[in-house]
Amino acid sequence: MSDQPLNGAVALVTGASSGIGAATARRLAREGAAVALVARRRDRLDQVARDIAGLGGHAAAVEADITEPERAYEAVQETLERFGRLDILVNNAGIMLFNSALHTTVEEWDRMVSLNVTALLHITHAAVPHLIDAAATSPRQVADLVNVSSTAGRVARPGSSAYSLTKFGLNGFAESLRQELLRERVRVSVVEPGTMDTELVNRLGDATRKVARRQGDAIEALRAEDIADAIGYIVTRERRVAVNEMLVRAGDEIW
Ligand code: NDP
């Protein structure tokens, strides 16, 4: 339908095979965007693409491990080849491995830095020229770069040291990019979810997963759709409006 706010726009969502990324892809498609779905699990991406097609939207699965620099670059290129432009990048793929510095392994720290920081840098670097081009040439006259950070990007707690490093760092990166790109009308934002009910916690080690589940069970956790709503709100504002930061906690969350 031509009155959808993102009609004609193209979005790339990293980590679109589950959780926040899948919900965001569905949300942006509902707003009229064609969506490139980037992650490693092909079957899950195909399912999200089918859901979107079933609702009359457009989506394409782009299977990629974006910690491989050439795949990060190719994911952007494949989006351009498939849909011809790039108006919205949602840097969402991320991993959270909570553990104390004493008990973690340096490999766990490396995995977080490799996805939450390095892969995000590579995708962003490949995408920025195309976002600038989209802002200059689209009817909306604006493009968006949304970064999914975390409350752990604002408040550090024991066990989250390296994860907080990646998310505090992301907030600084986004603020600098915001200032660099505002004249080009590429809006840069961070969304900072609190405690969520997604698959992220399943990826924790046994001990930390139990602690995280206890914390999560004590409150009503956020759903992926709650963060997709926040992202949908940011990218559908008129070009005169820039929502640069959204902190979305669960209602009962203290930290
Ligand atoms: P999920 O685990 O559901 O989503 C993570 C996504 O990242 C998956 O789609 C996964 O897909 C993808 N991914 C993982 N590794 C790679 C890779 N190497 N290359 C490409 N894609 C990859 O968790 P969430 O939806 O909760 O997490 C999304 C974001 O939200 C993350 O940045 C996280 O830090 C942030 N966040 C989460 C919170 C939470 O409590 N859940 C709280 C605050 C922020 P696949 O495995 O198919 O590759």
Side-chain angles (χ1 to χ4, degrees), residues 14-22 38-42 44-45 64-68 91-96 115-116 119 148-152 163 167 191-201 203 224:
T14 68
S17 59
S18 60
I20 294 169
V38 178
R40 296 167 303 179
R41 286 171 295 174
R42 180 76 202 205
R44 300 285 293 264
L45 293 176
D65 179 344
I66 59 171
T67 61
E68 296 172 19
N91 278 325
N92 163 74
I95 191 165
M96 171 181 84
L115 182 61
N116 301 7
V148 179
S149 179
S150 171
T151 45
Y163 184 67
K167 297 298 188 181
V191 176
E192 296 151 320
T195 301
M196 308 268 323
D197 183 14
T198 66
E199 293 175 27
L200 198 77
V201 173
R203 300 172 200 255

Side-chain angles (χ1 to χ4, degrees), residues 44-192:
R44 300 285 293 264
L45 293 176
D46 286 341
Q47 184 56 56
V48 178
R50 276 196 298 275
D51 294 347
I52 289 174
L55 296 169
H58 300 285
V62 178
E63 182 185 335
D65 179 344
I66 59 171
T67 61
E68 296 172 19
E70 63 283 4
R71 287 302 293 140
Y73 173 79
E74 286 163 9
V76 173
Q77 296 312 308
E78 287 174 31
T79 304
L80 295 166
E81 279 159 27
R82 180 71 169 76
F83 294 121
R85 54 186 300 109
L86 181 61
D87 302 81
I88 299 165
L89 170 63
V90 182
N91 278 325
N92 163 74
I95 191 165
M96 171 181 84
L97 302 167
F98 280 174
N99 212 337
S100 67
L102 181 63
H103 295 107
T104 192
T105 61
V106 83
E107 288 74 22
E108 282 193 340
W109 282 0
D110 283 345
R111 279 178 61 202
M112 279 189 284
V113 171
S114 157
L115 182 61
N116 301 7
V117 178
T118 311
L120 180 144
L121 292 180
H122 289 160
I123 289 266
T124 302
H125 193 262
V128 160
H130 305 289
L131 294 173
I132 291 173
D133 186 54
T137 59
S138 68
R140 296 169 66 232
Q141 295 283 291
V142 71
D144 283 283
L145 200 180
V146 182
N147 299 285
V148 179
S149 179
S150 171
T151 45
R154 295 170 58 108
V155 183
R157 301 203 305 151
S160 73
S161 58
Y163 184 67
S164 277
L165 170 73
T166 69
K167 297 298 188 181
F168 271 77
L170 173 55
N171 290 7
F173 175 68
E175 172 56 16
S176 176
L177 271 193
R178 181 188 75 77
Q179 295 174 30
E180 286 180 25
L181 294 174
L182 59 86
R183 278 192 188 76
E184 324 271 8
R185 270 296 197 274
V186 177
R187 300 182 291 208
V188 181
S189 53
V190 288
V191 176
E192 296 151 320

